């Protein structure tokens, strides 16, 4: 809200040339939050998202937190028992995913007794028989722009990020609002940025790097984030040139490849 008040028309998100201002993101997330509220998402409850790098992944995250609920973004590569474990462990009633991932969720529906509703992004290629409701996200983006007076406390649970599961089933890391903001501030201390910078990242929005280093830290200084769909050596530098990026947020092995 402070960032929006300072610079409502400045660009916050750049998705391959699709630009969204600070005000745009605020309004879109307000609308989705009201829609999710009408669907029954309550304070402290979890919502699992399985979304690619797109604006809906950001607005969904912020919308859930505006309701003081808990955002649980999970890896889009998950299938079978690995997928069922994280959805079941998160104990969610609502899941938002890309249309192409619905089939994976339906395949493990028998292991998800608490999941009641799937909101899919895009177009389904087929219909599915399921006891769960399967509805189009486009019909639940909302139209109420009004902000929310009730705010979460810094120590409240903001999100759950799952580990890679190399030593057993993935574990849900319970992260507070204060932890996420503190991590973003530490990033700015290590790599200072100003409102004139543009950070580019190919990292997925279901992990902390893109969320904190990519988005929260730049909101703190009023800067812009260029988020690409996925890492590509051949497309990286052209996208840097197009976006005007001054900072790149990547992982070590990507640096060697580049």
């Amino acid at each position: 809200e402070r960032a929006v008040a300072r610079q409502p028309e400045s660009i916050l998100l750049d998705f391959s040339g699709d630009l969204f201002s600070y005000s745009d993101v605020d309004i879109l997330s307000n609308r989705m939050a009201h829609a999710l509220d009408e669907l029954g998402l309550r304070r402290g409850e979890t919502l699992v998202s399985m979304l690619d790098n797109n604006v809906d992944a950001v607005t969904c995250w912020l919308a859930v937190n505006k309701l003081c609920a808990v955002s649980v973004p999970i890896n889009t590569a998950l299938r079978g028992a690995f997928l069922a474990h994280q959805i079941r462990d998160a104990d969610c009633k609502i899941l938002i995913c890309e249309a192409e991932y619905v089939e994976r969720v339906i395949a493990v529906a028998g292991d998800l007794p608490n999941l009641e509703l799937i909101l899919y992004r895009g177009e389904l290629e087929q219909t599915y028989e399921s006891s769960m409701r399967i509805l189009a996200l486009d019909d639940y983006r909302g139209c109420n722009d009004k902000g929310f007076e009730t705010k979460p406390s810094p120590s409240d649970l903001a999100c759950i990020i799952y580990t890679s599961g190399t030593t057993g089933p993935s574990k849900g890391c319970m992260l507070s609002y204060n932890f996420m903001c503190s991590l973003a501030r530490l990033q700015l201390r290590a790599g200072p940025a100003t409102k004139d910078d543009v950070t580019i990242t190919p990292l997925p929005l279901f992990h902390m790097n893109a969320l904190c280093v990519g988005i929260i830290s730049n909101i703190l200084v009023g800067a812009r984030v260029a988020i690409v769909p996925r890492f590509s050596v051949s497309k990286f530098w052209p996208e840097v040139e197009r976006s005007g990026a001054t900072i790149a947020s990547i992982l070590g092995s990507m640096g060697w490849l580049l």
Side-chain angles (χ1 to χ4, degrees):
E1 287 180 347
R2 291 195 294 269
V4 172
R6 285 194 304 268
Q7 51 192 75
E9 301 310 315
S10 295
I11 300 300
L12 169 57
L13 302 175
D14 176 350
F15 284 96
S16 302
D18 291 333
L19 306 180
F20 298 87
S21 69
Y22 278 76
S23 180
D24 291 335
V25 175
D26 188 41
I27 290 171
L28 289 171
S29 55
N30 279 343
R31 290 174 180 174
M32 187 175 289
H34 285 291
L36 292 173
D37 179 56
E38 292 176 3
L39 287 169
L41 184 64
R42 297 293 175 257
R43 184 187 186 108
E45 293 183 342
T46 54
L47 182 145
V48 169
S49 60
M50 193 177 179
L51 294 168
D52 298 333
N53 277 11
N54 51 58
V55 69
D56 286 326
V58 179
T59 55
C60 173
W61 158 43
L62 295 176
V64 170
N65 281 174
K66 285 182 176 184
L67 293 176
C68 301
V70 183
S71 174
V72 188
I74 63 174
N75 195 317
T76 56
L78 292 172
R79 297 174 181 270
F82 295 96
L83 175 61
H85 163 69
Q86 292 192 14
I87 298 175
R88 185 174 61 250
D89 186 70
D91 193 28
C92 68
K93 296 186 298 185
I94 303 174
L95 179 144
I96 299 178
C97 68
E98 304 291 340
E100 64 183 288
Y101 304 148
V102 171
E103 184 175 9
R104 299 187 207 169
V105 179
I106 296 299
V108 296
D111 294 326
L112 308 173
N114 296 330
L115 185 61
E116 301 173 358
L117 170 63
I118 299 173
L119 294 176
Y120 63 87
R121 179 182 183 274
E123 299 291 332
L124 285 181
E125 294 185 355
Q126 67 179 85
T127 57
Y128 298 94
E129 293 293 330
S130 174
S131 60
M132 295 180 289
R133 291 186 294 164
I134 303 174
L135 306 173
L137 178 61
D138 283 345
D139 295 332
Y140 293 90
R141 294 185 181 278
C143 57
N144 187 346
D145 297 348
K146 185 178 179 182
F148 293 82
E149 294 183 6
T150 302
K151 313 295 182 195
S153 297
S155 60
D156 286 347
L157 184 60
C159 72
I160 297 174
I161 302 290
Y162 279 88
T163 65
S164 58
T166 51
T167 59
S170 298
K171 301 162 188 68
C173 299
M174 302 167 67
L175 307 178
S176 69
Y177 291 91
N178 202 45
F179 177 86
M180 297 180 74
C181 290
S182 294
L183 185 60
R185 290 189 178 95
L186 287 172
Q187 165 59 29
L188 290 172
R189 185 182 299 174
T194 72
K195 64 180 179 62
D196 297 320
D197 280 304
V198 178
T199 296
I200 189 169
T201 183
L203 302 176
L205 288 167
F206 53 76
H207 277 168
M208 284 294 285
N209 194 306
L211 293 178
C212 283
V213 176
I215 297 179
I216 299 178
S217 64
N218 282 286
I219 288 176
L220 290 175
V221 296
R224 179 186 303 199
V225 190
I227 302 173
V228 300
R230 60 188 58 83
F231 179 66
S232 165
V233 173
S234 63
K235 296 178 181 178
F236 185 82
W237 294 115
E239 188 64 10
V240 167
E241 183 73 13
R242 183 205 61 78
S243 64
T246 57
I247 297 170
S249 177
I250 58 175
L251 297 180
S253 59
M254 295 177 179
W256 286 106
L257 292 169
L258 292 169

